[in-house]
């Protein structure tokens, strides 16, 4: 109804249908499409132009100025980043705290960058350890579990602040994640019975290398209850807190 004649909607359709029905044109080669090759060459050319544009966009490194800034307002990329010794840096932190009216007992964090390279392109494996700082800056204490089957040693452990004290009966609860503590210490006599926990505890498994295996239970408890645990991140970086601004 809307298109009484076919040619009104598709002009030249009759001629195309007739050419397709002609048997002489069945084996003929398809018509050439020169625009396809042109499109391919255009794409290649555009790819090159993109690479050239990215090369142009690369900003050359600016050379830092040898002199120091004359005041406290300057462009940071023009000068080498300043560094200070520990005493001056702490003094600056305290001064900033007074100017900003921030909480005076906020933590002070430190970033330690380690050289983990060894000979023959090898690296030191990332590790974790515990250190006992000379000045405590927090009232929090870690939860420590003591493995011992001696009742006298168990009483000493409880008296010195152990969170959990016991023997082989604790193995089942630890494997089932029923006991959650921060550190595990043990006496040498019970170590052969703790082998099932080696894969579970991993680096927290008691050992003399980590100072978590020995006879001096009070000393081990003090070390791990008040100690600060740190670990290597990103293969060479240690991030940890070491004090408060008010100290």
């Amino acid at each position: 109804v809307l298109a009484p004649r076919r040619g009104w909607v598709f002009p030249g359709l009759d001629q195309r249908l007739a050419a397709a029905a002609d048997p002489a044109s069945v084996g003929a080669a398809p018509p050439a499409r020169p625009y396809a090759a042109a499109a391919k060459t255009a794409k290649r050319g555009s790819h090159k132009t993109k690479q050239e544009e990215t090369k142009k966009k690369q900003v050359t490194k600016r050379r830092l100025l040898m002199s120091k800034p004359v005041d406290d307002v300057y462009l940071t990329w023009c000068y080498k980043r300043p560094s200070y010794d520990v005493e001056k840096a702490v003094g600056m932190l305290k001064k900033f705290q007074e100017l900003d009216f921030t909480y005076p007992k906020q933590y002070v964090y430190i970033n330690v960058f380690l050289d983990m390279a060894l000979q023959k392109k090898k690296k030191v494996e990332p590790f974790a350890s515990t250190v006992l700082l000379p000045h405590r800056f927090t009232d929090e204490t870690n939860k420590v579990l003591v493995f011992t089957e001696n009742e006298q040693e168990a009483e000493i452990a409880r008296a010195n602040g152990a969170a959990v004290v016991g023997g082989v009966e604790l193995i089942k609860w630890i494997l089932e994640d029923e006991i959650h503590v921060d550190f595990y210490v043990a006496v040498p006599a019970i170590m052969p019975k703790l082998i099932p926990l080696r894969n579970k505890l991993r680096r927290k498994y008691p050992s003399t290398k980590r100072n978590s295996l020995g006879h001096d239970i009070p000393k081990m408890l003090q070390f791990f209850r008040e100690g600060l645990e740190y670990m290597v991140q990103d293969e060479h970086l240690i991030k940890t807190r070491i004090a408060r601004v008010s100290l």
Side-chain angles (χ1 to χ4, degrees), residues 2 16 19-20 23 42 44 60 72 98-99 119 142 150 203 219-220 237:
L2 297 177
R16 290 197 293 269
R44 292 176 183 174
T60 57
D72 57 353
E98 294 175 359
L99 294 175
Q119 296 179 355
N142 302 315
N150 187 300
R203 62 181 178 83
K219 183 178 179 180
M220 291 189 297
L237 176 62

Side-chain angles (χ1 to χ4, degrees), residues 112-116 124 126 231-238:
V112 182
F113 295 88
L114 303 179
D115 183 5
M116 306 284 280
V124 180
M231 64 183 62
V232 178
Q233 304 175 14
D234 300 329
E235 297 183 352
H236 70 286
L237 176 62
I238 296 177

Side-chain angles (χ1 to χ4, degrees), residues 8-227:
W8 287 4
V9 181
F10 302 105
L13 181 61
D14 296 333
Q15 290 81 355
R16 290 197 293 269
L17 292 174
D22 188 5
S25 63
V26 175
R33 297 188 300 165
Y35 58 86
K40 289 184 180 179
T41 55
K43 287 183 180 179
R44 292 176 183 174
S46 62
H47 183 63
K48 291 182 179 179
T49 54
K50 287 182 180 179
Q51 289 182 349
E52 293 176 357
E53 288 178 0
T54 52
K55 288 182 180 180
K56 290 180 180 179
K57 288 181 180 179
Q58 290 179 356
V59 181
T60 57
K61 293 184 178 179
R62 298 165 176 169
R63 293 184 179 181
L64 302 178
L65 300 178
M66 299 299 294
S67 60
K68 295 182 179 181
V70 295
D71 53 25
D72 57 353
V73 179
Y74 57 91
L75 297 175
T76 56
W77 57 262
C78 289
Y79 302 92
K80 184 179 178 180
R81 188 174 182 179
S83 60
Y84 309 95
D85 55 16
V86 177
E87 185 176 357
K88 186 174 182 180
V90 172
M92 293 173 66
L93 285 177
K94 291 187 175 183
K95 183 179 179 181
F96 296 155
Q97 181 270 323
E98 294 175 359
L99 294 175
D100 296 339
F101 298 100
T102 55
Y103 185 55
K105 292 185 178 181
Q106 60 183 313
Y107 291 115
V108 176
Y109 291 83
I110 185 173
N111 293 353
V112 182
F113 295 88
L114 303 179
D115 183 5
M116 306 284 280
L118 295 175
Q119 296 179 355
K120 297 182 179 180
K121 297 182 180 180
K122 293 183 180 180
K123 292 184 178 181
V124 180
E125 292 295 330
F127 59 89
S129 185
T130 306
V131 61
L132 189 63
L133 298 179
H135 303 285
R136 284 182 54 79
F137 58 89
T138 177
D139 297 331
E140 303 172 359
T141 55
N142 302 315
K143 295 181 180 179
V144 184
L145 183 148
V146 179
F147 287 110
T148 180
E149 293 182 327
N150 187 300
E151 188 59 32
Q152 185 177 0
E153 292 176 342
E155 290 297 330
I156 295 175
R158 295 188 188 96
N160 285 271
V164 183
V165 182
V168 294
E169 71 277 3
L170 300 178
I171 296 178
K172 177 183 177 182
W173 303 109
I174 296 174
L175 293 175
E176 294 179 356
D177 294 327
E178 295 292 336
I179 295 178
H180 299 279
V181 295
D182 299 310
F183 296 99
Y184 301 83
V185 300
V187 294
I190 200 175
M191 286 305 297
K193 301 178 182 180
L194 301 181
I195 295 178
L197 293 175
R198 184 184 294 272
N199 293 332
K200 178 69 175 179
L201 301 182
R202 295 185 180 182
R203 62 181 178 83
K204 292 189 176 182
Y205 188 75
S207 68
T208 54
K209 186 177 180 180
R210 299 184 181 90
N211 300 320
S212 57
L213 177 63
H215 295 282
D216 196 344
I217 295 177
K219 183 178 179 180
M220 291 189 297
L221 281 172
Q222 181 186 7
F223 180 79
F224 286 102
R225 288 183 75 246
E226 302 178 2

